[in-house]
Every structure is written in C-alpha cells, then in structure tokens.
Amino acid sequence: MLLIRRLSLYVLLLFIPFVLKAQPESSGRQYEINTLIHDFGIVYDNQGKLSCSFEIKNTGTHPLFIIDIKKACGCMEVKFSNKEIRPGETGSIQVWYANNEGSHQFDKTLTVTFAAETKPLILHIKGNVVRGPINPTKDYVYKIGKSLLISEKEYSAGILHPFEQHGNMLWFYNSSRKSIEVTITSSNELIELQRTSFIIPGKTLDSLAFNLTANSSTYGKRLDTLFIYVKKPGRIKKYRNGLCTISHIVVPHPSKLNPGPKVVPSTNRISLGPIKRSLPIQKTFSITNKGVSPLNLFSITCSPSIDVSLNPTTLLPDETLELTATITFNQRHSQEKNVGLITIYSDSSPNPVETIYVTYQVKLTFKERLENLLRWFKRFK
C-alpha cells in the first residue's frame, strides 16, 4: 500500500511541469488605451494651441499609477486627470502643443511610465502646420482678373533633400459678389494638388493644399509654376489667367555627402564702403576646392541687387573658379548700411550651403542732398 502511494506521488510530480506550462501567458499590460498616435492632420500656423487627449483604462485587478511623463520638447504641456487609475476606471492624459514654429510637419513623443509596468508607454502627436487664412483686404496683394486675390505670387519651399516632401496651403479670396470657377494645373508632376478645379462663392475665402516632393536626379535651384485659370461658372471661355511660382533648392542629404570635397571661398564678406547710387560696381571673388575629391557646384542665388552667373560645374582638388559679382543700385537703396547675400549650393562637406555677405553704404549725390535739405526746411513752414 505504501509502495502504491509513493508511485502515485511520483507520477503526480512528473505531470506538474506540463500543467504549469499549459497555463496561458499574461501579456503583462494591465491597461487599454484608445490610440497611440493622435494625428491633427492639416492645421494652420495662426490657429493657436492644439489640444488632444489619450484615454487609458485599467483592465487589471490592482490600481494603476502614473509616476512620470517625459515630453520630447518644451513645446508641449501635459496634464493627467489622476495619478491613480483604479481597476475598471479610465483616466486621461491631456496634451497641448504650442504651434508657434511656423509652417512645418511635426511628430512629437510622450513617454509615460507606470509603477507596475516594466515597459514605458510611447505616445505620438503629429500633424502638418500650413499657412492659415489672413486678412484678404490687407495681405492678398496678387490679383487675377477683377476679383480673384491670391495669398502668394512667389512661394519658396526652402532647402530640401532628395525625396523630401514639403506641404503647405495657398489661399484665394473672391472679392466680387458673384461666384467664380478656378482651375489650376502644375508644370511639375512632383507637385501634388489637393484639387484642380473648384468654385468660390462671392466674398468667400477658400484654400488649396499642395505637396511638393524634391527631385532625386538633379541638385540646385528649381522653379515650378502653377497656372491659374478663372472663369464664371457655366461658361466655357476663361477670361483671365495668372501664375504662381513655387521654388525650392535640392541639396544632397548630409549623411550621403562625399567627405572629400570642400568649398572654400576667397572671402565670406565683400565690403564696398560708401558708393554712388548711379554706378554699378563689379567685384571678383573665387571658390576653391580644398578637399580631396571633385566638387560639384550646383547653383548660386543672390539678393535682387546682386548678379553672379554660374553654370553647374565641377572643380578638381585645389582647383579655383573666378567669379564676378555685379552690384546695381536704385532709389530704394538708402544711405544706411545695406547687406546683400550670395549663396553657393554644392556637395561640399559638411556644409553644402555657403554664404557670402555683401555690405555697402549708398552715397547721396549733390541733387539728392539738396532735395533732403529742402524737405527739412518745409517741415518748419
């Protein structure tokens, strides 16, 4: 009898590990959350603070304690309803995003740490901030036909890397009392338009979202055009058209730049001193490749009063290129110090963009000094 009991106990001990292994494993997470990512979508830069909330439900049998929430940057404010969430109850994490950085795409993270959880919870807020509606009577200076006002005639998307995307918004205002139909086409297939045709009622503000993808095959400055056609609804003939240009500059991504080439201009500052307004001035400067591999110069952009001609070229190591800058002047240049920019775009490492500053002070002619003196005397009459 004793032998039978010992054998039964031995068999039971053999089966215990299999019984324990058959138990379902716990996921370890004792809560549920409504979403891990809150996407604001397209928002306006003048919209003010953005807010959202994340709802957390305690699905366990013990209280859930939030001990810390780390923000990715100071542009966010966070507040949670209660540090302790009891079983079956739901707590919320309120998030406010400052939205004060202008037009850009953002993706910010929050790291939530619980007392009884081994892994923190990562939350995201994201969106695309674009230019918001502005006062049509003051800021919409570009007009097509008799009634259509546009927020931008020349839009700059800045510097982009290959395949990088840039999105924003164009605003339209119909200043007449009658509806108009607007049709828009693009000269570049890499510009994606939200829509190509829409009707704007009288005295109404409307918008068009666009998304630009930087070209991957060529570097340098690129200028694309949106062709805008306006007509009255129901009519075939378009009675007026206009243009809106979108410019951007494509440079290689810093992580893919060849460490060999390096741009070294002969000077980073061209000082002209006092000059006469009527005479254009020419100044020469040079660009040298101080690296160990060929340097590709893509383009040069200048301030409106400065002109430098450059065709895309390649400089071998220690090779120098001489360039001439022509500075012209008009009535808008004042006596005060003026500053112009010459910007060089290349595949130089580590900085593909190099800037040369041109400073000068316009010298008044005798006639201009006399006119200023007469205006001064007239104030005392």
Side-chain angles (χ1 to χ4, degrees):
M1 190 67 178
L2 182 59
L3 181 60
I4 295 174
R5 288 182 179 178
R6 287 180 179 178
L7 289 174
S8 300
L9 180 60
Y10 179 73
V11 172
L12 180 61
L13 291 174
L14 287 176
F15 277 95
I16 284 177
F18 296 97
V19 173
L20 293 177
K21 189 175 182 180
Q23 297 296 323
E25 294 183 358
S26 174
S27 63
R29 178 174 287 188
Q30 302 296 318
Y31 60 87
E32 293 178 353
I33 187 165
N34 59 339
T35 182
L36 296 176
I37 302 174
H38 182 90
D39 191 351
F40 290 101
I42 294 179
V43 294
Y44 302 140
D45 57 358
N46 57 3
Q47 191 171 327
K49 283 186 178 182
L50 308 175
S51 63
C52 65
S53 64
F54 296 89
E55 305 295 329
I56 300 175
K57 182 179 180 180
N58 185 352
T59 57
T61 57
H62 300 283
L64 188 66
F65 293 92
I66 298 177
I67 59 176
D68 186 34
I69 299 181
K70 291 183 179 179
K71 303 175 293 183
C73 67
C75 58
M76 293 188 292
E77 298 177 16
V78 180
K79 181 180 179 182
F80 39 94
S81 57
N82 47 337
K83 294 184 179 180
E84 177 186 357
I85 306 175
R86 297 187 177 185
E89 294 184 353
T90 301
S92 64
I93 299 177
Q94 298 285 334
V95 183
W96 290 269
Y97 176 62
N99 189 25
N100 58 0
E101 300 175 349
S103 299
H104 70 295
Q105 293 183 349
F106 67 92
D107 186 351
K108 308 292 183 180
T109 59
L110 293 169
T111 305
V112 184
T113 305
F114 299 97
E117 299 289 335
T118 57
K119 292 184 179 180
L121 175 66
I122 308 298
L123 304 176
H124 290 257
I125 62 170
K126 58 187 296 187
N128 183 16
V129 183
V130 300
R131 182 177 181 180
I134 52 181
N135 190 338
T137 59
K138 293 182 180 180
D139 301 311
Y140 286 31
V141 296
Y142 179 40
K143 193 172 185 178
I144 295 179
K146 298 180 180 179
S147 56
L148 182 63
L149 302 175
I150 304 179
S151 60
E152 302 280 354
K153 183 178 181 180
E154 299 175 353
Y155 178 85
S156 175
I159 297 175
L160 301 176
H161 302 303
F163 299 108
E164 186 177 359
Q165 293 187 338
H166 175 91
N168 213 320
M169 194 87 73
L170 294 175
W171 287 91
F172 302 86
Y173 180 70
N174 181 6
S175 61
S176 68
R177 297 183 180 276
K178 296 182 179 180
S179 298
I180 57 174
E181 182 178 346
V182 179
T183 302
I184 299 179
T185 59
S186 173
S187 64
N188 182 8
E189 60 182 7
L190 296 178
I191 297 180
E192 181 183 354
L193 301 177
Q194 176 192 21
R195 48 185 177 168
T196 58
S197 182
F198 52 97
I199 294 176
I200 307 178
K203 301 295 182 180
T204 301
L205 191 66
D206 205 341
S207 62
L208 173 70
F210 68 91
N211 191 61
L212 167 65
T213 303
N215 200 320
S216 61
S217 58
T218 58
Y219 296 119
K221 187 172 182 179
R222 183 180 179 95
L223 186 67
D224 301 301
T225 305
L226 296 182
F227 301 94
I228 305 170
Y229 304 91
V230 183
K231 69 173 185 176
K232 294 181 180 179
R235 296 190 179 182
I236 300 177
K237 186 177 180 181
K238 301 165 185 175
Y239 62 85
R240 185 65 65 90
N241 63 73
L243 304 175
C244 175
T245 59
I246 299 179
S247 63
H248 67 285
I249 298 169
V250 183
V251 299
H253 196 280
S255 62
K256 297 183 180 180
L257 287 177
N258 189 331
K262 185 177 181 180
V263 161
V264 178
S266 57
T267 179
N268 286 102
R269 184 184 183 92
I270 299 176
S271 180
L272 304 180
I275 55 176
K276 293 183 179 181
R277 180 183 285 117
S278 58
L279 299 176
I281 291 181
Q282 289 187 334
K283 286 287 182 178
T284 59
F285 64 97
S286 63
I287 299 173
T288 304
N289 179 10
K290 291 294 185 180
V292 295
S293 63
L295 169 71
N296 295 310
L297 297 175
F298 302 128
S299 64
I300 288 182
T301 60
C302 306
S303 299
S305 58
I306 304 172
D307 179 59
V308 178
S309 297
L310 171 73
N311 293 322
T313 186
T314 300
L315 296 182
L316 299 176
D318 294 326
E319 188 175 0
T320 299
L321 177 66
E322 296 287 340
L323 295 171
T324 301
T326 303
I327 300 97
T328 55
F329 315 99
N330 52 44
Q331 298 297 325
R332 291 179 295 179
H333 292 91
S334 64
Q335 260 188 296
E336 299 177 356
K337 203 168 189 181
N338 296 275
V339 179
L341 299 178
I342 300 174
T343 309
I344 305 165
Y345 301 94
S346 67
D347 60 353
S348 174
S349 178
N351 300 316
V353 180
E354 189 77 29
T355 302
I356 299 175
Y357 296 89
V358 181
T359 60
Y360 52 92
Q361 185 175 1
V362 177
K363 189 176 181 180
L364 294 181
T365 63
F366 175 78
K367 181 180 179 181
E368 290 170 336
R369 291 199 299 269
L370 183 60
E371 290 175 350
N372 288 342
L373 185 62
L374 291 175
R375 282 195 295 267
W376 185 80
F377 276 114
K378 287 182 180 179
R379 292 190 301 175
F380 296 94
K381 287 186 178 181

